Amino acid sequence: ANQAKSLFLSSMSHELRTPMNAILGFGQLLKLGKLEPGQVAPVDQILKSGNHLLELINQVLDLSRIDTGNISLSIEDVRTRDVLDQCLDMARTLAERTGVVIIDNSRGKELPLLRADHTRSIQSLLNLLSNAVKYNRPPGEVTLDALHVDKMMRFVVTDQGKGISAENQKNLFEPFNRLGAEASNVEGTGIGLTITKQLVELMGGRIGMSSQSGEGSTFWIELPHASRKALSVEASDIVLDDEVQTDVVMDNKHTVLYIEDNPANLRLVSQLLNRHFSVHMHDACEPLMGIELATKYKPDLILLDINLPGMNGFEVLEKLRQNEITRDVPVIAVSANAMQGDIEKGLKAGFEEYINKPINIDALL
């Protein structure tokens, strides 16, 4: 039953992501252009609603992966300050829109390395911060602190919201149970805390909370820390994103071939590359045509959809690798198949990178 559910969710995810790719992609493209004053708010609403739907899709998939044991964690030494800073940056963007102030009480403390999954530790802490902001009372405050508890690092998030009754606390970690918040104007899915609890426990940590109605709530997670101290990073070792970007933008022409059967996706990527780079894009809506164009033009890069009519992306990749002309051309998968197993299968097959749909423009660039 779990395998059937996982297959269904994977298939459903693909079907939902394909139209979402056009909605979010062209929405981002509009945002980059010159909009009339009356157009800014509608475009922002398209992106906000689209991203909310995408978040729901991702969380349902996460829950399914955990339930079926198909989630993979990369346990490594993680800089605690990096986790805190990334979470604070994202949470403060939300807080600014809602009139909530976030206070970081962990600043200046000596923080050891964590022994955890970098991405999942950020996901877990960010969920607590996001909830504290969303369910607060503006103008209110959210405080974040980091404490040493035995061989664990405890991250404590406290808000000044309405609090949670003792009766509702019993159902706090039930999936899809929003404890009555579905009647409010606060967006949510009801599975964020469920996923956070399971992820934290998979990383060898714990989660807990305390709250009283009318007096706010305190949530905390504990993650194991590594035995040695956090290492310092010299400023010269850090490469800024904008420095990387300046190296990418070049005057000379390059060619990209995009093999994709969805016309909206072809238009999106074509407009994007024409706007930002000196790149000429060839496109093919059918696999055999794509292989023919790749042989004829030998592009600098090939973007390849996985689900194509008549021949899937893996078969196309194999034929490109067998062709002496296209053997060394880097190929990037661009697919709505977003399960971790799909990504691992793609990278193992020889794709240079695997980009999920809906396409994140910054990631693609």
Side-chain angles (χ1 to χ4, degrees):
N2 272 342
Q3 287 178 342
K5 180 180 69 174
S6 192
L7 283 171
F8 167 76
L9 286 172
S10 178
S11 174
M12 202 64 206
S13 170
H14 178 269
E15 296 303 317
L16 291 170
R17 283 170 180 272
T18 299
M20 285 301 299
N21 185 57
I23 293 168
L24 287 176
F26 282 106
Q28 291 176 81
L29 208 57
L30 285 171
K31 187 79 172 172
L32 293 173
K34 293 181 180 179
L35 296 173
E36 299 293 330
Q39 296 173 328
V40 175
V43 171
D44 285 342
Q45 188 60 48
I46 290 170
L47 293 173
K48 179 184 176 184
S49 299
N51 282 313
H52 177 61
L53 179 55
L54 186 60
E55 180 187 359
L56 177 57
I57 296 168
N58 290 337
Q59 288 193 334
V60 170
L61 281 172
D62 256 350
L63 192 61
S64 172
R65 293 189 192 114
I66 294 170
D67 283 348
T68 57
N70 290 330
I71 191 165
S72 59
L73 298 176
S74 176
I75 303 299
E76 58 187 349
D77 287 357
V78 176
R79 294 182 185 279
T80 305
R81 188 73 257 166
D82 288 350
V83 172
L84 290 168
D85 287 344
Q86 289 185 56
C87 290
L88 284 166
D89 284 345
M90 290 183 276
R92 279 178 175 145
T93 302
L94 174 63
E96 287 170 4
R97 296 199 299 265
T98 56
V100 173
V101 176
I102 300 179
I103 299 170
D104 179 15
N105 289 334
S106 69
R107 186 65 60 181
K109 291 187 175 182
E110 183 179 344
L111 302 173
L113 291 168
L114 295 174
R115 190 67 184 167
D117 182 291
H118 183 263
T119 301
R120 298 303 186 175
S121 57
I122 290 174
Q123 180 182 354
S124 301
L125 179 57
L126 182 59
N127 185 63
L128 298 190
L129 280 170
S130 299
N131 283 349
V133 171
K134 287 193 298 183
Y135 296 106
N136 215 314
R137 292 189 240 184
E141 290 183 354
V142 171
T143 58
L144 170 65
D145 207 349
L147 309 171
H148 296 270
V149 180
D150 296 327
K151 294 183 179 181
M152 310 285 278
M153 201 73 215
R154 176 178 288 192
F155 302 99
V156 185
V157 177
T158 304
D159 64 57
Q160 296 177 333
K162 296 179 180 179
I164 304 169
S165 67
E167 183 180 353
N168 279 335
Q169 287 179 33
K170 299 174 185 176
N171 306 317
L172 196 58
F173 297 102
E174 284 185 3
F176 303 105
N177 190 342
R178 296 195 64 203
L179 308 179
E182 60 274 8
S184 70
N185 60 355
V186 179
E187 291 182 345
T189 61
I191 54 178
L193 279 176
T194 308
I195 293 171
T196 298
K197 181 178 186 295
Q198 296 190 32
L199 287 176
V200 166
E201 290 174 353
L202 283 172
M203 291 187 286
R206 296 185 292 266
I207 187 171
M209 61 84 63
S210 61
S211 180
Q212 288 186 350
S213 294
E215 297 184 13
S217 304
T218 296
F219 282 81
W220 54 265
I221 58 173
E222 290 178 356
L223 294 173
H225 60 64
S227 57
R228 59 184 183 277
K229 304 288 186 182
L231 305 175
S232 62
V233 181
E234 297 294 333
S236 58
D237 294 335
I238 301 173
V239 180
L240 299 178
D241 289 343
D242 55 353
E243 292 175 350
V244 176
Q245 292 283 341
T246 54
D247 292 336
V248 174
V249 180
M250 295 173 283
D251 294 330
N252 55 321
K253 281 277 186 182
H254 291 275
T255 56
V256 169
L257 170 63
Y258 188 11
I259 307 173
E260 163 72 73
D261 63 331
N262 188 313
N265 293 341
L266 290 173
R267 287 197 301 271
L268 169 66
V269 174
S270 177
Q271 291 182 32
L272 185 63
L273 295 182
N274 287 336
R275 179 175 293 187
H276 288 274
F277 300 102
S278 297
V279 170
H280 176 74
M281 191 184 97
H282 301 285
D283 61 73
C285 59
E286 189 270 332
L288 292 177
M289 182 192 301
I291 294 169
E292 185 178 334
L293 289 176
T295 305
K296 181 177 180 180
Y297 294 109
K298 193 183 179 182
D300 298 298
L301 175 69
I302 296 173
L303 301 175
L304 178 59
D305 187 24
I306 298 295
N307 291 287
L308 292 166
M311 185 186 302
N312 66 42
F314 292 100
E315 293 170 314
V316 174
L317 178 65
E318 186 176 355
K319 289 190 177 297
L320 291 171
R321 291 292 174 255
Q322 292 171 353
N323 188 325
E324 189 175 340
I325 297 174
T326 59
R327 181 179 300 155
D328 299 323
V329 177
V331 182
I332 294 177
V334 183
S335 177
N337 292 338
M339 297 289 275
Q340 185 62 32
D342 298 320
I343 297 171
E344 291 173 357
K345 180 182 176 183
L347 296 176
K348 188 176 180 180
F351 286 105
E352 298 291 326
E353 187 56 84
Y354 196 106
I355 296 178
N356 289 333
K357 296 177 184 175
I359 295 172
N360 180 299
I361 285 179
D362 290 336
L364 179 61
L365 290 178

